[in-house]
Every structure is written in C-alpha cells, then in structure tokens.
Amino acid sequence: MITASDGIRLHVRSAGSGEPLIFAHEFSGDARSWDAQISFFSQHYRCTTYCARGYPPSDVPTTIEAYSQSRAAEDVADVVRAVADGPAHIIGLSMGGFAALHCGLRYPQLVLSLIHI
C-alpha cells in the first residue's frame, strides 16, 4: 500500500527490476487486469500496477469530493513518486489511460513515455 497525497491508501503491486513501468487499469477492472503484461514485462522492467481509489483493496472513500479526473491523475503521480526513483513509463487503459494522460500533462517530469490504450 502507498498513501496518496490526500491520505487515501492505494494497493500497489510491483515485480521485476529495471526502468519503471506503471500500469493504470480500466473502469471495469483492477490491478489484476495487467497480470499477463506484468508477467512478460517484469523480465526486463520494474512493473507496478495499482488498484485505483474505490477499487478494493485500495481505500473506498465515501465522499464524492474524493473522486475526480484531477484526483485520478494525482494518484498516478503519487504512485510514480512512491515506487520510482525518477520518471516512469506510464501505460493506461480506458479510465486509466485518461488519468495517465492527465498525469503526463500536469507532471511531464514524471513521464519517460505515455501509452494510452
């Protein structure tokens, strides 16, 4: 678990070593959505995936103010800061891709490359 900048705990899983790859999941999935990709890419990279807020075992805030596109982008940035020593390659699918894109626009210094699927 990591703690996001607003105090919400996010469930994070990492495997492998090397340059960091961060995977952000889609609306109907969770960190497990990336298992096949993690299995392959962790042979050459440090792969990290996380469950977005509202997706157990991450915290599920009860206030609507805890959820926004801006907050989702901040969560991606918080994950990068927590698991990488510098910028990371960020891969996002659907909802996760939109959050990754906004993270890259806000914090280009945290991004080596950005893939939106």
Side-chain angles (χ1 to χ4, degrees), residues 73-111:
E74 291 296 325
D75 287 349
V76 174
D78 289 336
V79 170
V80 172
R81 290 183 192 112
V83 302
D85 293 331
H89 301 281
I90 303 174
I91 302 102
L93 174 61
S94 191
M95 173 188 82
F98 200 62
L101 173 64
H102 280 267
C103 175
L105 291 170
R106 287 173 177 225
Y107 304 106
Q109 70 277 12
L110 295 179
V111 179

Side-chain angles (χ1 to χ4, degrees), residues 53-78:
R53 63 183 56 225
Y55 292 78
S58 289
D59 287 348
V60 182
T62 57
T63 63
I64 197 161
E65 295 80 24
Y67 300 92
S68 69
Q69 195 55 53
S70 175
R71 187 63 249 172
E74 291 296 325
D75 287 349
V76 174
D78 289 336

